[in-house]
Amino acid sequence: MCVVTFGHGPRLPFRAVLVTLLTDYGVEDDFVGVCHLVIAGIAPEARIIDIAHGIPRHDVRTGALVLRRTLPFAPAGVHIAVVDPEVGGRRRAIALRTAEEDRILVGPDNGVLLPAAERFGGAVEAVEISTSPCRLVPVSATFHGRDLFAPVGAHLATGVALAETGDPLEPSELVALDLPTPRLEGDEVVAHVLAIDRYGNVTLDAEHALLARSGLRLGQSVVVEAGGDEHVAVYAHAFTDVAAGELLLYEDAYRTLALAVNRGSAADRLGATLDGELRVLPA
Amino acid sequence: MCVVTFGHGPRLPFRAVLVTLLTDYGVEDDFVGVCHLVIAGIAPEARIIDIAHGIPRHDVRTGALVLRRTLPFAPAGVHIAVVDPEVGGRRRAIALRTAEEDRILVGPDNGVLLPAAERFGGAVEAVEISTSPCRLVPVSATFHGRDLFAPVGAHLATGVALAETGDPLEPSELVALDLPTPRLEGDEVVAHVLAIDRYGNVTLDAEHALLARSGLRLGQSVVVEAGGDEHVAVYAHAFTDVAAGELLLYEDAYRTLALAVNRGSAADRLGATLDGELRVLPA
Amino acid sequence: MCVVTFGHGPRLPFRAVLVTLLTDYGVEDDFVGVCHLVIAGIAPEARIIDIAHGIPRHDVRTGALVLRRTLPFAPAGVHIAVVDPEVGGRRRAIALRTAEEDRILVGPDNGVLLPAAERFGGAVEAVEISTSPCRLVPVSATFHGRDLFAPVGAHLATGVALAETGDPLEPSELVALDLPTPRLEGDEVVAHVLAIDRYGNVTLDAEHALLARSGLRLGQSVVVEAGGDEHVAVYAHAFTDVAAGELLLYEDAYRTLALAVNRGSAADRLGATLDGELRVLPA
């Protein structure tokens, strides 16, 4: 009666247009608040939801990965992401439309948007918005969230067409984030380190669909090859399925493959580094 | 004309259903944001208010106490609370309805909900929601806020009946939080330490109604018995009513009895420990 | 078609009344959340936007300056600001109406509201609200945000007239924030240090309108006189316009004059102290 599976089946109705915000502005200052004020002034009917503002400062990759994993849980809308170390420089500012669900993504053209767009079939239309007629005038040198991305996103939320907010760009010209690609080689999963958290847990780039096609089965012993060494691990459901100090392979809450040592550091155990390649095969 | 006394008199109209969130997820990451997204997708008309997300990690007791003291200020709605150290384990996940005001509370069955429910006459109906038809599929092992509590709460906010969201439970079987009970013995207030803040201020469990029936009068000198020692204090309105270094007894902003030393630590002075018993009597 | 210049031209329609909040309550605890709950109970149709809650504790001046710089980006509404070191003491609690745009500002009478009000022509009507019929009863000694400012602001958002929320006050009697005044002396800008950030960047009190009337031209060399010493600087657009270690003068994102050393500390270079006077003149 009320099961909702995100990313499948018909979309639920959403009368107010949704505007989501993801930034590295932090939650202490007035940066986020003033973006809300600008959006509310232009698009009073829009509903604003903050996805996260604690992205590490200038960490475009983490911003891109968080946007990619959260947008599938969001109703379609206008999705603004601002992690922008080159603000005021020559990087382009863009808005794009996705192939599926007509989502609009707005932000700097530095790769922060594209991984999320790919979750919805990629970008099929894009505009350069640096001198958008929807921007605030004057645009400051350092606060494009307020002066450019928020007002352009808000106008899009009121129904202004993407083509009217900027100059056309070929979607293929957009700056991609340089991420490795996981693959299957026979029974082996060849994956890479996407992120390492403060506990030493290692997030890989292999996701559920790829795992389902691999030879790995839950409960099984597996071998993890990393840096020339082999490590035995259990492909488990939860940390508590293995003893303290043991290595486990598991799908995290976003169905992405991850490695952990129960009460220890998988990153230390494996000598893991960002983007480093690992191989996982049945034992 | 416009005096509002919470908890008394007719409720004010509230057309959009309110969903409140209280968690220990912190405000840096995307945990809270993605819960908002899930709720907005299922219940686009609901209004979401964050009560607090900075509950110390896994501190069920503090979560329960903060929920209990804040809900009386909230319009009736669906109130989700997630402080859940046993997530993915065998603890039940529940939703309940209160005797007064028909509030719906949703969260793990570990005591975080019941003290707040008791403010509204206790639970009169409850369901186990671990395999609710309203959950997201699949439910992850670690993020039940997103996969279980948010979607069940959101469906309840759209008007789905509590009985349709899970399997019936006897309200008397719900897990209670183990809290001591304050009492009067003649003129004496027998109270216990509920919380100690970082300044060494000590919150007791005696509240306004009990104090009003006690022999204590504002402005009076009182004796505080703690750990076999007697301490003289003033039952005062504000810190500034006593000299630096002096002990005072006061009602805090939630009308709960508390002890402080002006510019010092009452916890150190009294040797206070969590749940420890103290006696307060007229000097 | 969609250029919006704040502070000029006709205001955009805003159907739901906006209530903004700015406090020093922080984002960890339930202080802000319970203010939202109180407002939602009284004014269910109002929309609440948080401007900032990370104002340094009890720093009235910073609160006032942040309110002043952000309100011009906000649709007109009810603007609550609570930075209130004297809460529970004898300071007045006030609500005021501005000459332009009929904005309502609510907060303690300690100077936190007036600099923002001056952006809209100053206060033309004011009331003392300490015993407002719109307050919660009882008002606690320490949490006037919840018990006084939020409920009075919420009632004002529902359309209650300012005069009905408290006792009339002469706007001229309101407590002003003691801030120096920048001025032109011939070609020279005489300005003062408003704020010093953690990077040693120095915000002055001279704003765009005054600068436009001065002899300073972008790209020019200027002399900064501070503490009896003369320093050469460039009046630049961005940090990257000068070499590392060089002093620059620039307009920040709020069009306020500021001084920085590229990859260094302007405060150290100039020996800058809060409110200290500097002179800037063409080289």
Side-chain angles (χ1 to χ4, degrees):
Chain A
M1 173 258 318
C2 47
V3 173
V4 175
T5 307
F6 277 83
H8 304 285
R11 304 302 301 176
L12 294 147
F14 197 83
R15 280 187 268 176
V17 173
L18 175 68
V19 175
T20 68
L21 282 179
L22 177 147
T23 73
D24 64 351
Y25 289 161
V27 293
E28 294 297 316
D29 299 307
D30 51 317
F31 300 119
V32 172
V34 79
C35 289
H36 278 239
L37 295 173
V38 167
I39 294 167
I42 293 166
E45 305 289 335
R47 175 177 184 169
I48 308 168
I49 293 183
D50 296 301
I51 295 180
H53 296 291
I55 303 297
R57 190 158 169 73
H58 292 174
D59 184 346
V60 175
R61 178 192 179 109
T62 296
L65 295 174
V66 172
L67 191 69
R68 177 171 81 171
R69 75 187 189 191
T70 53
L71 278 205
F73 291 90
V78 175
H79 308 291
I80 301 171
V82 189
V83 184
D84 195 8
E86 305 296 324
V87 61
R90 267 177 279 183
R91 66 97 183 93
R92 286 182 294 215
I94 56 171
L96 63 85
R97 188 168 55 81
T98 62
E100 296 158 19
E101 302 189 10
D102 282 332
R103 287 169 188 259
I104 302 289
L105 278 60
V106 181
D109 185 23
N110 60 10
V112 73
L113 302 178
L114 285 198
E118 279 155 25
R119 281 283 188 275
F120 303 95
V124 288
E125 186 186 355
V127 290
E128 149 72 42
I129 58 169
S130 294
T131 58
S132 172
C134 303
R135 74 192 188 282
L136 296 195
V137 173
V139 171
S140 65
T142 54
F143 197 177
H144 287 195
R146 180 194 66 189
D147 299 337
L148 194 56
F149 301 119
V152 170
H155 279 97
L156 288 161
T158 65
V160 172
L162 187 67
E164 291 188 52
T165 64
D167 301 315
L169 268 179
E170 271 305 308
S172 60
E173 290 174 19
L174 300 179
V175 174
L177 197 69
D178 194 19
L179 287 175
T181 307
R183 63 185 187 278
L184 288 182
E185 291 188 0
D187 260 7
E188 290 184 39
V189 175
V190 184
H192 311 84
V193 176
L194 263 196
I196 298 172
D197 75 16
R198 56 188 158 155
Y199 304 109
N201 300 327
V202 174
T203 304
L204 303 179
D205 55 355
E207 300 191 327
H208 184 75
L210 185 139
L211 292 173
R213 295 188 293 112
S214 78
L216 304 182
R217 295 293 168 261
L218 211 60
Q220 205 181 31
S221 280
V222 298
V223 172
V224 178
E225 292 181 7
D229 291 326
E230 295 198 347
H231 305 265
V232 174
V234 175
Y235 186 19
H237 185 65
F239 279 41
T240 49
D241 292 344
V242 305
E246 279 189 31
L247 186 69
L248 74 148
L249 187 76
Y250 64 104
E251 276 186 44
D252 71 11
Y254 287 93
R255 310 196 84 187
T256 298
L257 201 63
L259 286 156
V261 167
N262 188 13
R263 306 195 186 187
S265 165
D268 288 352
R269 176 79 54 92
L270 302 167
T273 54
L274 224 55
D275 287 347
E277 185 175 294
L278 294 92
R279 285 164 177 269
V280 184
L281 55 160
Chain B
M1 175 259 318
C2 48
V3 174
V4 175
T5 308
F6 278 82
H8 304 285
R11 303 302 301 176
L12 293 148
F14 197 84
R15 279 187 269 175
V17 172
L18 176 68
V19 175
T20 68
L21 282 179
L22 177 148
T23 74
D24 63 353
Y25 288 162
V27 294
E28 294 297 316
D29 299 307
D30 50 316
F31 301 119
V32 171
V34 80
C35 290
H36 278 239
L37 295 174
V38 167
I39 294 167
I42 294 167
E45 306 289 335
R47 176 178 185 169
I48 308 169
I49 293 182
D50 296 301
I51 295 180
H53 296 292
I55 303 297
R57 190 157 169 74
H58 292 174
D59 184 345
V60 175
R61 179 192 176 110
T62 296
L65 295 173
V66 171
L67 191 69
R68 178 172 80 171
R69 74 188 190 189
T70 53
L71 279 205
F73 290 90
V78 175
H79 307 292
I80 301 170
V82 189
V83 184
D84 194 9
E86 304 296 324
V87 60
R90 266 178 280 183
R91 66 96 182 94
R92 288 183 293 214
I94 57 170
L96 64 84
R97 188 168 55 80
T98 63
E100 295 158 18
E101 301 188 12
D102 283 331
R103 287 169 187 259
I104 302 288
L105 278 59
V106 181
D109 185 25
N110 61 10
V112 73
L113 302 178
L114 285 199
E118 280 157 22
R119 281 284 188 276
F120 302 96
V124 288
E125 187 185 355
V127 289
E128 150 72 40
I129 59 169
S130 294
T131 58
S132 172
C134 302
R135 73 193 187 281
L136 297 195
V137 173
V139 171
S140 65
T142 55
F143 197 177
H144 286 195
R146 179 194 67 188
D147 299 338
L148 194 58
F149 301 120
V152 169
H155 278 98
L156 288 161
T158 65
V160 172
L162 187 67
E164 291 187 52
T165 64
D167 301 314
L169 268 178
E170 271 305 308
S172 60
E173 291 174 18
L174 300 179
V175 174
L177 196 69
D178 194 19
L179 286 175
T181 306
R183 63 185 187 277
L184 288 182
E185 291 187 359
D187 260 5
E188 290 184 38
V189 175
V190 183
H192 311 84
V193 177
L194 263 197
I196 298 172
D197 75 16
R198 55 189 157 155
Y199 304 109
N201 301 327
V202 174
T203 305
L204 303 179
D205 55 355
E207 299 189 329
H208 183 75
L210 185 140
L211 291 174
R213 296 189 290 113
S214 78
L216 304 182
R217 294 293 168 262
L218 211 61
Q220 206 180 30
S221 280
V222 298
V223 172
V224 179
E225 292 181 7
D229 290 326
E230 295 199 346
H231 305 264
V232 174
V234 176
Y235 186 19
H237 185 64
F239 278 42
T240 48
D241 292 343
V242 305
E246 278 189 32
L247 186 69
L248 73 148
L249 188 75
Y250 64 104
E251 276 186 44
D252 69 13
Y254 287 93
R255 311 196 84 186
T256 298
L257 200 63
L259 286 155
V261 167
N262 189 13
R263 304 196 188 187
S265 164
D268 288 350
R269 175 80 53 91
L270 301 168
T273 55
L274 224 55
D275 286 347
E277 184 174 296
L278 295 93
R279 287 164 176 268
V280 185
L281 55 159
Chain C
M1 173 260 317
C2 48
V3 173
V4 175
T5 308
F6 278 82
H8 304 286
R11 304 302 300 176
L12 293 148
F14 198 84
R15 279 187 269 175
V17 172
L18 176 68
V19 175
T20 68
L21 282 179
L22 178 148
T23 73
D24 63 352
Y25 288 161
V27 293
E28 294 298 315
D29 299 307
D30 51 316
F31 300 119
V32 171
V34 79
C35 290
H36 278 239
L37 295 173
V38 166
I39 294 166
I42 294 166
E45 305 289 335
R47 176 178 184 168
I48 309 169
I49 293 183
D50 296 300
I51 295 180
H53 296 292
I55 303 296
R57 191 158 168 73
H58 291 173
D59 184 346
V60 175
R61 179 191 177 110
T62 296
L65 295 174
V66 172
L67 191 69
R68 178 171 81 172
R69 74 188 190 190
T70 54
L71 278 204
F73 290 90
V78 174
H79 307 292
I80 301 171
V82 190
V83 184
D84 195 8
E86 305 295 325
V87 59
R90 265 176 281 182
R91 65 96 184 93
R92 287 182 294 213
I94 58 171
L96 64 84
R97 188 167 56 81
T98 62
E100 295 158 18
E101 303 188 10
D102 282 333
R103 286 169 189 260
I104 303 288
L105 277 60
V106 181
D109 185 23
N110 60 11
V112 73
L113 302 178
L114 285 198
E118 279 155 24
R119 280 284 187 276
F120 303 95
V124 288
E125 186 185 357
V127 289
E128 150 72 40
I129 59 169
S130 294
T131 58
S132 172
C134 302
R135 75 191 188 283
L136 296 195
V137 174
V139 171
S140 65
T142 55
F143 197 178
H144 286 194
R146 179 193 68 188
D147 299 337
L148 194 56
F149 300 120
V152 169
H155 279 97
L156 287 161
T158 65
V160 172
L162 188 66
E164 292 188 50
T165 64
D167 301 315
L169 268 177
E170 270 306 308
S172 61
E173 291 175 18
L174 300 179
V175 174
L177 196 69
D178 193 19
L179 286 175
T181 306
R183 62 186 187 278
L184 288 182
E185 291 188 359
D187 260 6
E188 291 183 38
V189 175
V190 184
H192 311 84
V193 176
L194 263 196
I196 299 171
D197 75 15
R198 55 189 159 156
Y199 304 109
N201 300 327
V202 174
T203 305
L204 303 178
D205 55 356
E207 300 190 327
H208 183 75
L210 184 139
L211 292 174
R213 299 185 357 251
S214 79
L216 303 181
R217 293 293 168 262
L218 210 60
Q220 207 180 29
S221 279
V222 298
V223 172
V224 178
E225 293 181 7
D229 290 326
E230 295 198 346
H231 306 264
V232 174
V234 175
Y235 185 20
H237 184 64
F239 279 40
T240 49
D241 292 344
V242 305
E246 278 188 33
L247 186 69
L248 73 148
L249 187 75
Y250 64 106
E251 276 186 45
D252 69 12
Y254 287 94
R255 310 197 84 187
T256 298
L257 200 62
L259 286 156
V261 168
N262 189 13
R263 304 194 188 188
S265 165
D268 288 351
R269 177 78 55 89
L270 302 168
T273 54
L274 225 54
D275 287 347
E277 185 175 295
L278 293 92
R279 286 163 177 269
V280 184
L281 56 159

